[in-house]
Amino acid sequence: DYLIRKGSEIIPVEVKSSRPPRAPYDAHIFQLSLYCLLVEKVYQRTPGYGLIHYPGRTFSVPFTNELRESTLNLVSEMHRQENGKNIPRSHTDSWKCASCGYKDVCDQKIA
């Protein structure tokens, strides 16, 4: 959501409004990792870590080679699925459909 410049480092920060969990959710970690990749591409610097900020709690997440590879693999899989057909809906909750960005084109929506 924003960047912090700390000396020569550029640190991405992901801000969440939900209650802080005991540990950051995987989806939030992957989102932060994508921000790290963007910082790397735009500024030609690899952040050593990023921050996920919840109300009252902030997690520091190391941007490791393992996280980089997992994120790139996830993005590749998303691209493969996006270009595929008949991708099954991944939930049974109508409230998720209500806020989905694909609800106008989805043929599997619940609500």
Side-chain angles (χ1 to χ4, degrees):
D1 291 321
Y2 64 90
L3 302 173
I4 295 173
R5 188 177 297 265
K6 187 175 180 182
S8 63
E9 284 185 288
I10 298 174
I11 304 159
V13 180
E14 171 60 19
V15 177
K16 297 297 180 187
S17 59
S18 59
R19 279 192 359 233
R22 293 177 203 254
Y25 298 114
D26 287 346
H28 298 171
I29 292 171
F30 281 121
Q31 186 174 5
L32 180 65
S33 179
L34 286 167
Y35 289 157
C36 288
L37 289 168
L38 285 170
V39 165
E40 188 175 68
K41 183 173 183 163
V42 171
Y43 296 99
Q44 289 81 48
R45 296 182 188 165
T46 303
Y49 66 99
L51 301 171
I52 302 176
H53 178 72
Y54 298 89
R57 186 161 188 194
T58 301
F59 294 93
S60 178
V61 178
F63 185 53
T64 62
N65 286 334
E66 180 180 66
L67 179 56
R68 168 198 294 282
E69 290 305 312
S70 294
T71 302
L72 293 173
N73 289 338
L74 179 62
V75 169
S76 292
E77 180 60 27
M78 290 169 73
H79 281 260
R80 278 193 293 281
Q81 288 190 17
E82 181 181 53
N83 296 324
K85 295 186 187 282
N86 300 322
I87 299 164
R89 178 178 18 88
S90 63
H91 63 86
T92 57
D93 301 313
S94 60
W95 64 269
K96 288 185 180 180
C97 283
S99 61
C100 178
Y102 297 99
K103 67 183 174 187
D104 295 334
V105 295
C106 181
D107 63 355
Q108 299 177 43
K109 57 187 163 197
I110 300 170

